[in-house]
Amino acid sequence: MFFSNLALFYAFRKRLIKLNILIAVGILFFICVILSISRLGQLLFLIFYAIEFGRYINIFSLKGAIKSLFVLPVVLALVYILSTMSIGGFNIGARFISAFEVEADLSTIERYGSSQALFNLLKDKSLLLGVGMYNFQYYIKDYLPAYMDVLYYPRGASPASFNFVLQMIVELGLILFLIYMLLTCLILQRTANSFIRFWYFYLFLFSLSFQTLNFSIPF
């Protein structure tokens, strides 16, 4: 949904669809994300809308800054109303805030613990050379933080990577990853199509909290 939403906005910017279509489908996406109770999904959509709105009104200009002052109270009021709603036994506001609490639930524990383990593995083995593509799972269990003891992984199983960027650094090594990012930025800089540049930018943000290889749409 996130990448479909991104494509929807750029279809409007390229004048492939009309404003009423953008608003109608955009509202549908927004409702679906709220109903999904996906905390990271909601956070990604908030970041996306904030960035795109800032670019649309040119927020760093005086006129754009003034416009944002009129819109901000409406946004805050909407966020407050949503935060008081409950769906499927979950309060939306409390559930969203729980995404920033390490031990909120087993899902949150696994996400934070996996990322922390990848970071520890990076410091120990991947500052120069990496452990090899798809090999992080052979090492990660030795670097899991203590609070992940509530989760059990049988022999041959290990936690998934919830941070694809960290996984890439661990597997490629810091030096090769930096070379990869440098080459990527140079290629994107020469790309005339702004949609491709921002597609990659949002894919990078997406990858900070999701295992991108599980999703076929971004590719």
Side-chain angles (χ1 to χ4, degrees), residues 151-171:
L151 296 168
Y152 171 71
Y153 299 99
R155 183 178 177 84
S158 56
S161 161
F162 292 99
N163 189 319
F164 187 58
V165 175
L166 265 179
Q167 179 188 332
M168 283 184 65
I169 301 174
V170 166
E171 293 177 343

Side-chain angles (χ1 to χ4, degrees), residues 46-215:
L46 283 174
I47 292 172
F48 171 78
Y49 283 122
I51 292 173
E52 290 299 316
F53 177 74
R55 293 178 65 227
Y56 180 73
I57 67 170
N58 192 10
I59 197 170
F60 294 109
S61 67
L62 178 60
K63 188 180 292 186
I66 293 173
K67 285 181 181 179
S68 67
L69 291 177
F70 286 100
V71 175
L72 189 59
V74 177
V75 174
L76 291 176
L78 178 61
V79 170
Y80 173 75
I81 293 171
L82 288 172
S83 68
T84 61
M85 296 173 59
S86 294
I87 298 176
F90 292 101
N91 175 265
I92 294 176
R95 180 161 173 79
F96 180 79
I97 292 173
S98 71
F100 305 97
E101 300 171 358
V102 175
E103 299 187 35
D105 52 43
L106 293 180
S107 174
T108 313
I109 288 173
E110 186 172 40
R111 288 177 181 276
Y112 276 100
S114 173
S115 295
Q116 186 175 333
L118 281 171
F119 183 71
N120 293 336
L121 177 56
L122 164 64
K123 291 190 297 181
D124 189 36
K125 291 186 179 295
S126 300
L127 290 178
L128 293 177
L129 300 176
V131 298
M133 295 303 292
Y134 309 117
N135 284 342
F136 81 95
Q137 288 187 316
Y138 289 101
Y139 298 92
I140 193 172
K141 290 174 81 170
D142 293 332
Y143 295 89
L144 295 176
Y147 58 79
M148 285 193 71
D149 289 345
V150 294
L151 296 168
Y152 171 71
Y153 299 99
R155 183 178 177 84
S158 56
S161 161
F162 292 99
N163 189 319
F164 187 58
V165 175
L166 265 179
Q167 179 188 332
M168 283 184 65
I169 301 174
V170 166
E171 293 177 343
L172 297 176
L174 185 59
I175 294 175
L176 191 56
F177 175 79
L178 291 175
I179 293 173
Y180 159 76
M181 288 302 300
L182 176 62
L183 292 174
T184 301
C185 290
L186 290 174
I187 292 170
L188 291 174
Q189 189 178 22
R190 296 175 182 176
T191 303
N193 193 326
S194 62
F195 177 70
I196 294 175
R197 290 200 298 270
F198 275 87
W199 183 278
Y200 188 87
F201 169 70
Y202 284 117
L203 178 59
F204 187 85
L205 287 180
F206 185 89
S207 300
L208 290 172
S209 56
F210 286 93
Q211 169 54 269
T212 314
L213 291 178
N214 292 342
F215 297 86

